[in-house]
Amino acid sequence: MKVMTVYAHPADTITNCGGTLARHAAAGDEVVALILTHGGRIHANRYAEEWRGGQPDTSITDADLDGIVAHKRRELERAAEIIGISKLVTLDLDDTYAALREDVVDQVAQQLATERPDVVICDYPVNPVATANLHTVATVTALATLGRADAFPRDLDDLPEFHVKQVFFTSLPVMAGDGLSLHGLSLHGLRNDVYIDITEVVGQKVAAMDCFDSQGYSGLFARKLVEAKNGESGRLAGVNFAEAFYRMNKETHTLLPVTEAARSEDVLTRHVAYSRIDLRATYPR
């Protein structure tokens, strides 16, 4: 199987689904990460800290946009290697990019038609008209490409027809454990419906986040984010750490599906199971 992510910024793939990608890579699946922007104008933590210091290091503060972009690219490459991402596709759009554009849809559609992924992962589109949110714009672009990629018939472009089997959204703005919860009802019953247990690879995710030192993502921040976000998803899933997803497409089964995790879960002792790992002690910076 081939998994392809479409995100706005260099670190988004790692923070949102790095553990899931590591598990797919370990299982022998091909993982492709498409990044829309170079990220040079955002999360300038490394540079701000130097600018505000008493004796700033000019080798850092004097960096121009090209230098910052190159540095972030190296961070992304190191993180991708840790996770097991087999291919990086960076469109290197400027971070001022803030609206759906036909030329970008065409670029992403070309990549989809070339890579032919079975699964696409991207952010949940919080509000399709909130163009100030580049994460939403990236996802709307990805969704637009799903139809556009079908417009590459073999007789015109020498590319075989294909369709993406499933789209998984990350960062759904609810934390609901069941379909009847008030949080779920606040979004008309919408909730995360797939949880991937990343406990076995959480060290890889933390190490990959440590690569993004220029954004302030390394060290305690990486561990705090994983504890707060993946730890809470893990609590809902009954494991130490999990990543949560919402499926776009229906699924068809021959029988009613009940997962192995659901069959084996003991609701009386699950609090023990998801509290076994001290993240900061097990994966110190």
Side-chain angles (χ1 to χ4, degrees):
M1 185 167 74
K2 180 181 283 192
V3 179
M4 185 173 182
T5 65
V6 181
Y7 282 103
H9 307 112
D12 291 347
T13 293
I14 306 302
T15 57
N16 283 289
C17 58
T20 299
L21 299 182
R23 297 212 68 162
H24 275 278
D29 292 335
E30 187 175 355
V31 178
V32 178
L34 187 150
I35 313 295
L36 268 64
T37 71
H38 53 56
R41 299 184 187 276
I42 64 164
H43 301 306
N45 301 61
R46 176 174 184 253
Y47 308 94
E49 289 171 5
E50 287 296 328
W51 292 327
R52 295 169 183 175
Q55 294 180 317
D57 183 345
T58 56
S59 67
I60 297 176
T61 58
D62 290 350
D64 59 9
L65 182 61
D66 289 341
I68 295 173
V69 169
H71 184 85
K72 287 201 169 188
R73 171 72 187 201
R74 291 191 293 270
E75 291 179 329
L76 174 61
E77 290 172 346
R78 290 195 298 270
E81 184 176 0
I82 291 170
I83 292 298
I85 295 172
S86 49
K87 184 176 181 179
L88 288 172
V89 179
T90 54
L91 300 188
D92 289 327
L93 298 171
D94 196 279
D95 298 304
T96 56
Y97 164 60
L100 186 66
R101 284 172 30 188
E102 287 289 339
D103 61 319
V104 179
V105 172
D106 283 337
Q107 290 182 63
V108 178
Q110 182 68 48
Q111 292 297 331
L112 280 173
T114 300
E115 297 298 333
R116 297 168 55 80
D118 299 291
V119 167
V120 167
I121 304 175
C122 50
D123 266 322
Y124 180 82
V126 177
N127 186 339
V129 299
T131 57
N133 185 338
L134 186 50
H135 299 110
T136 289
V137 174
T139 296
V140 173
T141 299
L143 295 179
T145 67
L146 295 179
R148 188 70 57 86
D150 290 336
F152 287 95
R154 183 188 298 272
D155 59 336
L156 294 182
D157 301 281
D158 198 31
L159 291 171
E161 297 83 1
F162 88 106
H163 72 280
V164 172
K165 281 68 175 177
Q166 187 60 275
V167 177
F168 290 96
F169 296 116
T170 58
S171 299
L172 181 69
V174 297
M175 187 61 72
D178 63 80
L180 299 179
S181 71
L182 292 177
H183 293 295
L185 291 174
S186 68
L187 281 183
H188 310 288
L190 197 63
R191 62 179 174 133
N192 291 306
D193 57 4
V194 174
Y195 290 85
I196 301 299
D197 182 359
I198 66 166
T199 304
E200 292 183 6
V201 296
V202 71
Q204 286 175 255
K205 179 168 184 174
V206 169
M209 288 185 63
D210 279 339
C211 293
F212 295 99
D213 188 65
S214 71
Q215 298 190 182
Y217 280 15
S218 60
L220 288 178
F221 178 83
R223 287 142 187 83
K224 179 68 173 179
L225 182 66
V226 171
E227 285 173 340
K229 185 176 182 180
N230 302 131
E232 176 61 6
S233 291
R235 185 187 69 81
L236 292 173
V239 298
N240 279 257
F241 300 100
E243 289 173 340
F245 300 87
Y246 176 73
R247 290 171 291 190
M248 185 175 80
N249 301 325
K250 65 172 178 59
E251 290 187 351
T252 303
H253 303 270
T254 55
L255 300 172
L256 294 173
V258 179
T259 67
E260 184 58 36
R263 293 177 189 274
S264 61
E265 183 177 54
D266 183 346
V267 296
L268 295 180
T269 60
R270 60 184 295 179
H271 66 286
V272 176
Y274 64 61
S275 304
R276 287 176 178 157
I277 294 179
D278 182 341
L279 188 69
R280 303 185 193 197
T282 307
Y283 304 104
R285 178 70 164 107

